[in-house]
Amino acid sequence: MRLKWAPSADLLLRSAAAANRRAWAARLTTRLVLPLITLAPVILVLRAQAEDLLATAESRLRGLVALPHRVALEHARRFGVSAYDARFLAVAEKLRSPLVTEDARLRAAAPSLTRSIADALSRP
């Protein structure tokens, strides 16, 4: 009696899985790979949107950065801090948003306008 070699069920399943992976990869490649010329208009639109977003951000920030010296000095006198720190406090007040800082002296001088990082992370 002669024995014939028969592949195990595990070997057959692994071979089938490998064949399925190759088939899926072939299908995905044909469906997902687009010619570069098709992507060019999309890239142009995304670039234009990014430029618009940057221009908007720049115009909004320009108003905050252009804080008059008088305002900074008033905040410095009011809170007893340097003009440099007072600019940050003035912007926080203008935005009606707390200034998150680890400068304990600044937080003590203006508790209504400042928070620590831990406080900011724990509060909504």
Side-chain angles (χ1 to χ4, degrees):
M1 181 167 139
R2 188 170 177 211
L3 294 175
K4 288 186 175 180
W5 178 81
S8 68
D10 186 48
L11 179 64
L12 290 174
L13 288 174
R14 282 188 301 209
S15 297
N20 278 341
R21 283 193 301 273
R22 284 192 298 274
W24 270 101
R27 276 186 253 151
L28 285 175
T29 302
T30 57
R31 289 181 184 170
L32 295 180
V33 175
L34 298 173
L36 186 57
I37 197 154
T38 305
L39 293 176
V42 174
I43 291 169
L44 290 174
V45 168
L46 291 175
R47 181 179 177 186
Q49 289 176 348
E51 288 173 354
D52 288 345
L53 184 61
L54 286 173
T56 301
E58 182 181 356
S59 68
R60 289 183 181 175
L61 287 174
R62 189 174 291 126
L64 294 176
V65 174
L67 194 71
H69 295 304
R70 179 185 48 76
V71 174
L73 292 174
E74 286 171 1
H75 278 73
R77 184 176 26 238
R78 178 173 148 201
F79 294 107
V81 296
S82 69
Y84 178 83
D85 287 342
R87 285 187 178 279
F88 289 101
L89 294 173
V91 170
E93 189 173 64
K94 186 174 184 179
L95 291 176
R96 294 187 184 110
S97 178
L99 172 65
V100 178
T101 180
E102 286 303 304
D103 184 339
R105 188 183 53 77
L106 187 58
R107 284 198 323 265
S112 63
L113 293 176
T114 58
R115 279 191 194 171
S116 69
I117 293 172
D119 287 342
L121 292 174
S122 67
R123 291 188 212 169

